[in-house]
Amino acid sequence: MQVSDFLYELPKELIAQDPLEDRSASRLMHIDRATGEITHEVFRNIDKYLHPGDVLVMNNTRVIPARLYGVREDTGSAMELLLLKREENDVWQTLVKPGKKCRLGARFVFGDGALRGEIIEVCPDGNRRIRFEYEGIFEEILDALGQMPLPPYITHALKDKNRYQTVYAKYEGSAAAPTAGLHFTKELLSHLREMGVELCEVTLHVGLGTFRPVKEERIEDHAMHEEYYTVSEEAAGIINKAKEEGRRVICVGTTSCRTLESAADRKGHICAKSDVTDIFIYPGYAFKIMDGLITNFHLPQSTLLMLVSAFYDRIPVLAAYEEAVKEQYRFFSFGDAMMIE
Protein backbone atom coordinates (compact mmCIF):
# COMPACT_ATOMS: atom_id res chain seq x y z
CA MET A 1 0.00 0.00 0.00
CA GLN A 2 1.07 3.58 -0.62
CA VAL A 3 1.41 6.15 2.16
CA SER A 4 -0.74 8.48 0.03
CA ASP A 5 -3.63 6.04 0.57
CA PHE A 6 -3.91 7.42 4.10
CA LEU A 7 -4.09 11.11 3.26
CA TYR A 8 -7.06 13.27 4.22
CA GLU A 9 -7.72 17.01 4.33
CA LEU A 10 -7.84 18.63 7.78
CA PRO A 11 -8.42 22.35 8.42
CA LYS A 12 -5.82 23.65 10.87
CA GLU A 13 -8.49 25.16 13.08
CA LEU A 14 -9.70 21.66 13.99
CA ILE A 15 -6.37 20.75 15.61
CA ALA A 16 -7.13 21.01 19.34
CA GLN A 17 -4.58 23.21 21.12
CA ASP A 18 -5.87 22.82 24.67
CA PRO A 19 -7.61 20.09 26.66
CA LEU A 20 -11.22 20.63 27.70
CA GLU A 21 -11.78 21.62 31.31
CA ASP A 22 -13.89 18.49 31.78
CA ARG A 23 -12.02 15.49 30.36
CA SER A 24 -15.19 13.49 29.73
CA ALA A 25 -16.93 16.35 27.89
CA SER A 26 -15.14 15.57 24.64
CA ARG A 27 -17.18 14.21 21.77
CA LEU A 28 -17.30 10.54 20.86
CA MET A 29 -17.84 9.08 17.41
CA HIS A 30 -19.05 5.49 17.67
CA ILE A 31 -18.65 3.14 14.70
CA ASP A 32 -20.35 -0.23 14.40
CA ARG A 33 -18.12 -2.32 12.11
CA ALA A 34 -20.90 -4.79 11.33
CA THR A 35 -23.36 -2.18 10.02
CA GLY A 36 -21.09 0.78 9.28
CA GLU A 37 -23.44 2.98 11.36
CA ILE A 38 -21.89 6.10 12.86
CA THR A 39 -23.31 7.65 16.03
CA HIS A 40 -22.31 10.94 17.64
CA GLU A 41 -22.15 11.08 21.43
CA VAL A 42 -20.42 12.71 24.40
CA PHE A 43 -17.55 10.68 25.84
CA ARG A 44 -19.05 10.47 29.34
CA ASN A 45 -21.86 8.40 27.76
CA ILE A 46 -19.49 5.71 26.52
CA ASP A 47 -21.25 3.33 28.89
CA LYS A 48 -23.91 2.99 26.16
CA TYR A 49 -21.42 0.96 24.15
CA LEU A 50 -19.79 -1.06 26.94
CA HIS A 51 -21.28 -4.17 28.51
CA PRO A 52 -20.84 -6.06 31.79
CA GLY A 53 -17.95 -8.48 31.33
CA ASP A 54 -16.07 -6.30 28.86
CA VAL A 55 -12.39 -5.84 29.67
CA LEU A 56 -11.10 -2.30 29.20
CA VAL A 57 -7.31 -2.32 28.71
CA MET A 58 -5.51 0.91 29.61
CA ASN A 59 -1.87 1.98 29.29
CA ASN A 60 -0.73 3.27 32.69
CA THR A 61 2.50 4.87 31.51
CA ARG A 62 3.34 8.31 32.84
CA VAL A 63 4.84 11.10 30.73
CA ILE A 64 8.02 12.65 32.07
CA PRO A 65 8.69 16.41 31.64
CA ALA A 66 11.39 15.48 29.17
CA ARG A 67 12.04 18.83 27.44
CA LEU A 68 14.85 20.84 29.02
CA TYR A 69 16.08 24.31 28.11
CA GLY A 70 19.63 25.27 29.00
CA VAL A 71 22.87 26.83 27.77
CA ARG A 72 26.26 25.66 26.55
CA GLU A 73 28.72 25.81 29.43
CA ASP A 74 31.49 27.28 27.25
CA THR A 75 29.58 29.78 25.10
CA GLY A 76 26.36 30.46 26.99
CA SER A 77 24.36 29.87 23.81
CA ALA A 78 20.83 28.56 24.26
CA MET A 79 20.00 24.94 23.54
CA GLU A 80 17.08 22.54 23.87
CA LEU A 81 17.32 18.93 24.98
CA LEU A 82 14.74 16.17 24.81
CA LEU A 83 15.17 13.06 26.94
CA LEU A 84 14.39 9.89 24.99
CA LYS A 85 15.54 6.89 27.00
CA ARG A 86 17.22 6.41 30.35
CA GLU A 87 20.26 4.16 30.56
CA GLU A 88 22.38 3.27 33.57
CA ASN A 89 24.43 5.66 35.71
CA ASP A 90 22.45 8.80 34.84
CA VAL A 91 23.08 8.44 31.11
CA TRP A 92 20.23 9.28 28.74
CA GLN A 93 19.69 9.03 25.01
CA THR A 94 18.63 12.52 23.89
CA LEU A 95 17.80 14.82 21.03
CA VAL A 96 19.72 18.11 21.11
CA LYS A 97 18.87 21.35 19.28
CA PRO A 98 20.79 22.87 17.64
CA GLY A 99 22.64 19.64 17.06
CA LYS A 100 25.39 20.52 14.58
CA LYS A 101 27.63 22.21 17.14
CA CYS A 102 26.93 19.75 19.94
CA ARG A 103 29.95 17.51 19.58
CA LEU A 104 31.52 14.93 21.87
CA GLY A 105 32.51 16.52 25.19
CA ALA A 106 30.15 19.49 24.94
CA ARG A 107 28.74 20.47 28.33
CA PHE A 108 25.41 22.06 29.23
CA VAL A 109 23.90 23.83 32.24
CA PHE A 110 20.24 23.77 33.25
CA GLY A 111 18.47 25.75 35.97
CA ASP A 112 21.43 27.85 37.12
CA GLY A 113 23.51 24.73 37.66
CA ALA A 114 20.96 22.51 39.39
CA LEU A 115 21.55 20.08 36.53
CA ARG A 116 24.56 19.70 34.24
CA GLY A 117 25.23 17.34 31.37
CA GLU A 118 28.03 16.22 29.06
CA ILE A 119 27.83 14.53 25.67
CA ILE A 120 29.64 11.19 25.94
CA GLU A 121 28.64 9.82 22.53
CA VAL A 122 27.28 11.10 19.21
CA CYS A 123 25.12 8.27 17.86
CA PRO A 124 24.85 7.34 14.15
CA ASP A 125 21.19 8.45 14.07
CA GLY A 126 22.11 11.91 15.35
CA ASN A 127 20.98 11.35 18.93
CA ARG A 128 23.37 12.13 21.77
CA ARG A 129 24.13 10.10 24.87
CA ILE A 130 24.46 12.53 27.78
CA ARG A 131 25.68 11.89 31.33
CA PHE A 132 24.01 14.14 33.90
CA GLU A 133 25.45 15.54 37.12
CA TYR A 134 23.31 16.84 40.00
CA GLU A 135 22.77 16.79 43.73
CA GLY A 136 19.58 15.33 45.11
CA ILE A 137 16.92 13.29 43.32
CA PHE A 138 16.93 13.43 39.52
CA GLU A 139 13.14 13.06 39.19
CA GLU A 140 12.53 16.03 41.50
CA ILE A 141 14.99 18.18 39.57
CA LEU A 142 13.42 17.16 36.27
CA ASP A 143 9.94 17.94 37.58
CA ALA A 144 11.11 21.43 38.55
CA LEU A 145 13.05 22.23 35.37
CA GLY A 146 11.45 20.15 32.62
CA GLN A 147 8.47 20.82 30.39
CA MET A 148 6.06 18.34 28.87
CA PRO A 149 7.24 17.22 25.41
CA LEU A 150 4.03 18.18 23.61
CA PRO A 151 3.54 17.17 19.97
CA PRO A 152 4.84 19.62 17.33
CA TYR A 153 1.31 20.66 16.33
CA ILE A 154 0.67 22.08 19.84
CA THR A 155 1.78 25.71 19.65
CA HIS A 156 2.10 26.65 23.33
CA ALA A 157 3.05 25.19 26.71
CA LEU A 158 0.49 23.65 29.06
CA LYS A 159 -0.50 25.60 32.16
CA ASP A 160 -1.12 22.36 34.06
CA LYS A 161 1.30 19.48 33.35
CA ASN A 162 -1.21 16.95 34.68
CA ARG A 163 -3.55 17.60 31.76
CA TYR A 164 -1.11 15.65 29.57
CA GLN A 165 -1.40 12.67 31.92
CA THR A 166 -4.18 10.11 32.22
CA VAL A 167 -5.85 9.91 35.64
CA TYR A 168 -4.45 6.38 35.99
CA ALA A 169 -0.84 7.17 34.98
CA LYS A 170 1.63 5.33 37.24
CA TYR A 171 4.99 4.40 35.75
CA GLU A 172 7.25 7.13 34.38
CA GLY A 173 8.92 6.62 31.04
CA SER A 174 6.93 8.13 28.16
CA ALA A 175 7.84 11.00 25.87
CA ALA A 176 4.18 11.32 24.82
CA ALA A 177 0.84 10.57 26.44
CA PRO A 178 -1.44 7.67 25.47
CA THR A 179 -4.00 10.27 24.51
CA ALA A 180 -7.11 8.08 24.16
CA GLY A 181 -7.00 7.73 27.93
CA LEU A 182 -7.11 11.48 28.54
CA HIS A 183 -10.92 11.43 28.21
CA PHE A 184 -11.48 9.26 31.28
CA THR A 185 -12.15 10.71 34.72
CA LYS A 186 -11.88 8.78 37.98
CA GLU A 187 -15.65 9.10 38.33
CA LEU A 188 -16.30 7.63 34.89
CA LEU A 189 -13.94 4.71 35.54
CA SER A 190 -15.65 4.06 38.86
CA HIS A 191 -19.04 4.04 37.13
CA LEU A 192 -17.84 1.58 34.50
CA ARG A 193 -16.41 -0.70 37.17
CA GLU A 194 -19.72 -0.63 39.05
CA MET A 195 -21.65 -1.62 35.91
CA GLY A 196 -19.47 -4.69 35.50
CA VAL A 197 -16.74 -3.55 33.12
CA GLU A 198 -13.38 -5.03 34.17
CA LEU A 199 -10.48 -2.58 34.13
CA CYS A 200 -7.05 -3.91 33.23
CA GLU A 201 -3.72 -2.04 33.06
CA VAL A 202 -0.65 -2.64 30.95
CA THR A 203 2.39 -0.43 30.38
CA LEU A 204 3.97 0.78 27.15
CA HIS A 205 6.35 3.73 27.31
CA VAL A 206 5.50 5.87 24.30
CA GLY A 207 8.49 7.08 22.29
CA LEU A 208 8.85 10.13 20.06
CA GLY A 209 8.73 7.82 17.07
CA THR A 210 4.97 8.00 17.39
CA PHE A 211 5.20 11.47 15.76
CA ARG A 212 7.67 10.52 13.03
CA PRO A 213 6.17 10.53 9.55
CA VAL A 214 6.24 7.53 7.23
CA LYS A 215 8.79 8.60 4.62
CA GLU A 216 8.75 5.50 2.41
CA GLU A 217 6.22 5.43 -0.41
CA ARG A 218 5.32 1.79 0.34
CA ILE A 219 4.16 1.54 3.94
CA GLU A 220 5.51 -2.03 4.08
CA ASP A 221 9.03 -0.54 3.87
CA HIS A 222 8.58 1.60 6.99
CA ALA A 223 10.61 0.57 10.06
CA MET A 224 8.87 1.18 13.38
CA HIS A 225 10.67 2.52 16.44
CA GLU A 226 11.08 0.27 19.48
CA GLU A 227 9.10 0.84 22.67
CA TYR A 228 9.33 -0.91 26.02
CA TYR A 229 6.25 -2.64 27.39
CA THR A 230 5.17 -4.75 30.36
CA VAL A 231 2.21 -7.09 30.79
CA SER A 232 1.84 -8.37 34.36
CA GLU A 233 0.71 -11.85 35.38
CA GLU A 234 -2.51 -10.30 36.67
CA ALA A 235 -3.24 -8.48 33.41
CA ALA A 236 -2.44 -11.54 31.30
CA GLY A 237 -4.78 -13.64 33.46
CA ILE A 238 -7.65 -11.17 33.14
CA ILE A 239 -7.34 -10.94 29.35
CA ASN A 240 -6.86 -14.67 28.76
CA LYS A 241 -9.87 -15.52 30.91
CA ALA A 242 -12.02 -13.00 29.02
CA LYS A 243 -11.00 -14.45 25.66
CA GLU A 244 -11.67 -18.01 26.86
CA GLU A 245 -15.15 -16.98 28.03
CA GLY A 246 -15.97 -15.09 24.83
CA ARG A 247 -15.98 -11.67 26.48
CA ARG A 248 -14.75 -8.58 24.65
CA VAL A 249 -11.32 -7.02 25.12
CA ILE A 250 -11.42 -3.32 24.29
CA CYS A 251 -8.20 -1.33 24.06
CA VAL A 252 -7.96 2.26 25.19
CA GLY A 253 -5.62 3.64 22.59
CA THR A 254 -3.25 2.28 19.97
CA THR A 255 -0.51 1.79 22.57
CA SER A 256 -2.64 -0.68 24.55
CA CYS A 257 -3.45 -2.44 21.28
CA ARG A 258 0.21 -2.70 20.27
CA THR A 259 1.09 -4.01 23.73
CA LEU A 260 -1.47 -6.83 23.62
CA GLU A 261 -0.76 -7.80 20.04
CA SER A 262 2.98 -7.89 20.87
CA ALA A 263 2.50 -10.02 23.98
CA ALA A 264 0.17 -12.53 22.31
CA ASP A 265 1.40 -15.83 20.95
CA ARG A 266 0.16 -17.39 17.69
CA LYS A 267 -2.77 -19.01 19.46
CA GLY A 268 -4.02 -15.69 20.84
CA HIS A 269 -2.80 -16.31 24.37
CA ILE A 270 -1.32 -13.35 26.27
CA CYS A 271 2.06 -13.98 27.85
CA ALA A 272 3.10 -12.05 30.95
CA LYS A 273 6.38 -10.40 29.97
CA SER A 274 8.51 -7.28 29.72
CA ASP A 275 10.07 -6.66 26.32
CA VAL A 276 10.46 -4.15 23.51
CA THR A 277 8.19 -4.07 20.49
CA ASP A 278 8.48 -2.60 17.02
CA ILE A 279 5.21 -4.10 15.81
CA PHE A 280 3.73 -2.26 12.81
CA ILE A 281 0.02 -2.85 12.35
CA TYR A 282 -1.45 -1.88 8.98
CA PRO A 283 -4.25 -3.20 6.73
CA GLY A 284 -3.99 -6.94 6.27
CA TYR A 285 -2.97 -7.57 9.89
CA ALA A 286 -4.93 -10.32 11.69
CA PHE A 287 -5.73 -9.17 15.22
CA LYS A 288 -5.27 -11.85 17.88
CA ILE A 289 -6.69 -10.09 20.95
CA MET A 290 -8.46 -6.78 20.38
CA ASP A 291 -12.25 -6.74 19.90
CA GLY A 292 -12.81 -3.00 20.18
CA LEU A 293 -10.76 0.20 20.10
CA ILE A 294 -11.15 3.60 21.74
CA THR A 295 -8.84 6.10 20.10
CA ASN A 296 -8.38 9.73 19.08
CA PHE A 297 -8.34 11.12 15.54
CA HIS A 298 -4.82 10.73 14.15
CA LEU A 299 -2.52 12.58 11.78
CA PRO A 300 -2.82 11.98 8.03
CA GLN A 301 -0.46 9.28 6.73
CA SER A 302 0.51 8.24 10.29
CA THR A 303 1.16 4.71 11.51
CA LEU A 304 -1.65 5.25 14.04
CA LEU A 305 -4.18 5.90 11.27
CA MET A 306 -2.89 2.77 9.53
CA LEU A 307 -3.53 0.72 12.68
CA VAL A 308 -7.10 2.00 12.90
CA SER A 309 -7.57 1.19 9.21
CA ALA A 310 -6.32 -2.33 9.86
CA PHE A 311 -8.96 -2.86 12.54
CA TYR A 312 -11.87 -1.56 10.45
CA ASP A 313 -11.07 -0.77 6.82
CA ARG A 314 -9.25 2.09 5.16
CA ILE A 315 -12.09 3.46 3.04
CA PRO A 316 -14.79 3.62 5.76
CA VAL A 317 -12.23 4.94 8.26
CA LEU A 318 -11.34 7.80 5.92
CA ALA A 319 -15.06 8.37 5.32
CA ALA A 320 -15.54 8.62 9.09
CA TYR A 321 -12.69 11.13 9.28
CA GLU A 322 -14.36 13.15 6.52
CA GLU A 323 -17.56 13.17 8.56
CA ALA A 324 -15.61 14.20 11.66
CA VAL A 325 -14.25 17.19 9.75
CA LYS A 326 -17.74 18.06 8.54
CA GLU A 327 -19.10 17.79 12.11
CA GLN A 328 -16.26 19.96 13.45
CA TYR A 329 -14.70 17.35 15.72
CA ARG A 330 -11.47 18.34 17.49
CA PHE A 331 -8.42 16.40 16.25
CA PHE A 332 -5.22 14.88 17.64
CA SER A 333 -3.87 14.70 21.21
CA PHE A 334 -6.30 17.06 22.94
CA GLY A 335 -9.12 16.33 20.52
CA ASP A 336 -12.21 14.15 20.54
CA ALA A 337 -12.48 10.36 20.51
CA MET A 338 -13.66 7.49 18.36
CA MET A 339 -14.83 4.04 19.43
CA ILE A 340 -14.84 1.21 16.91
CA GLU A 341 -16.41 -2.16 17.74
Side-chain angles (χ1 to χ4, degrees):
M1 300 189 74
Q2 303 296 309
V3 67
S4 57
D5 293 334
F6 298 89
L7 183 64
Y8 68 90
E9 296 296 326
L10 178 68
K12 288 185 178 179
E13 60 268 22
L14 295 185
I15 300 175
Q17 293 296 317
D18 294 285
L20 298 179
E21 185 174 345
D22 177 1
R23 291 173 182 261
S24 63
S26 54
R27 298 172 71 187
L28 174 68
M29 174 185 284
H30 176 266
I31 300 178
D32 185 323
R33 289 189 296 167
T35 65
E37 181 181 5
I38 293 177
T39 307
H40 303 287
E41 256 296 350
V42 178
F43 194 86
R44 68 170 65 93
N45 296 330
I46 197 170
D47 58 355
K48 292 183 178 180
Y49 309 111
L50 296 172
H51 315 302
D54 285 347
V55 175
L56 204 60
V57 183
M58 305 174 294
N59 181 8
N60 61 15
T61 188
R62 188 171 185 83
V63 186
I64 61 173
R67 179 167 277 120
L68 290 163
Y69 294 95
V71 296
R72 288 276 300 263
E73 193 174 72
D74 52 353
T75 65
S77 57
M79 52 79 63
E80 176 185 340
L81 186 150
L82 193 61
L83 303 177
L84 298 179
K85 182 181 179 181
R86 189 172 196 167
E87 300 178 356
E88 59 184 357
N89 300 324
D90 294 314
V91 174
W92 285 76
Q93 290 187 25
T94 70
L95 283 175
V96 180
K97 293 182 181 180
K100 290 184 178 180
K101 296 182 180 180
C102 294
R103 299 185 176 92
L104 186 67
R107 293 182 57 83
F108 312 106
V109 180
F110 308 91
D112 297 324
L115 182 66
R116 296 175 183 271
E118 178 180 342
I119 295 178
I120 61 172
E121 183 182 352
V122 178
C123 304
D125 59 4
N127 293 347
R128 269 67 169 173
R129 294 177 69 240
I130 293 182
R131 177 178 288 114
F132 288 100
E133 305 160 9
Y134 55 90
E135 293 184 3
I137 299 173
F138 182 82
E139 287 76 12
E140 292 181 355
I141 295 171
L142 186 62
D143 191 57
L145 299 180
Q147 294 187 17
M148 283 299 182
L150 296 175
Y153 47 78
I154 303 294
T155 59
H156 56 267
L158 271 181
K159 295 180 181 179
D160 180 2
K161 292 180 182 179
N162 286 327
R163 293 313 307 271
Y164 198 53
Q165 304 280 15
T166 63
V167 296
Y168 46 80
K170 291 181 181 177
Y171 303 113
E172 293 187 337
S174 277
T179 54
L182 295 178
H183 305 285
F184 287 95
T185 63
K186 291 182 179 179
E187 293 76 16
L188 179 55
L189 290 172
S190 178
H191 167 65
L192 295 177
R193 190 182 294 110
E194 290 172 359
M195 66 175 276
V197 175
E198 194 165 9
L199 306 183
C200 175
E201 296 183 4
V202 297
T203 305
L204 182 139
H205 292 320
V206 187
L208 280 181
T210 192
F211 300 122
R212 289 176 180 165
V214 178
K215 296 181 179 179
E216 292 79 6
E217 290 186 9
R218 293 179 69 253
I219 66 172
E220 294 86 349
D221 296 332
H222 176 69
M224 288 287 286
H225 56 289
E226 287 188 345
E227 294 170 315
Y228 174 85
Y229 73 90
T230 296
V231 178
S232 67
E233 292 279 359
E234 179 184 7
I238 290 172
I239 295 164
N240 287 331
K241 184 178 180 182
K243 297 302 288 186
E244 290 168 4
E245 295 176 353
R247 293 183 282 121
R248 300 192 304 173
V249 174
I250 298 172
C251 291
V252 178
T254 58
T255 61
S256 296
C257 168
R258 294 179 69 243
T259 300
L260 296 193
E261 295 298 318
S262 297
D265 63 21
R266 294 180 180 179
K267 296 181 180 180
H269 182 272
I270 291 289
C271 304
K273 57 165 52 174
S274 295
D275 204 346
V276 295
T277 179
D278 60 357
I279 188 171
F280 182 16
I281 298 175
Y282 54 86
Y285 179 84
F287 287 86
K288 300 184 286 290
I289 304 295
M290 187 171 72
D291 301 303
L293 176 65
I294 299 167
T295 187
N296 280 21
F297 291 90
H298 303 294
L299 277 71
Q301 300 181 316
S302 64
T303 59
L304 305 181
L305 179 56
M306 293 169 192
L307 185 154
V308 176
S309 299
F311 184 60
Y312 187 15
D313 186 59
R314 182 182 66 87
I315 293 176
V317 165
L318 291 177
Y321 269 57
E322 185 177 341
E323 180 163 343
V325 170
K326 180 181 177 181
E327 296 293 329
Q328 299 286 288
Y329 272 69
R330 302 165 74 245
F331 278 66
F332 304 162
S333 293
F334 292 137
D336 296 315
M338 168 189 287
M339 179 177 177
I340 306 174
E341 60 170 323

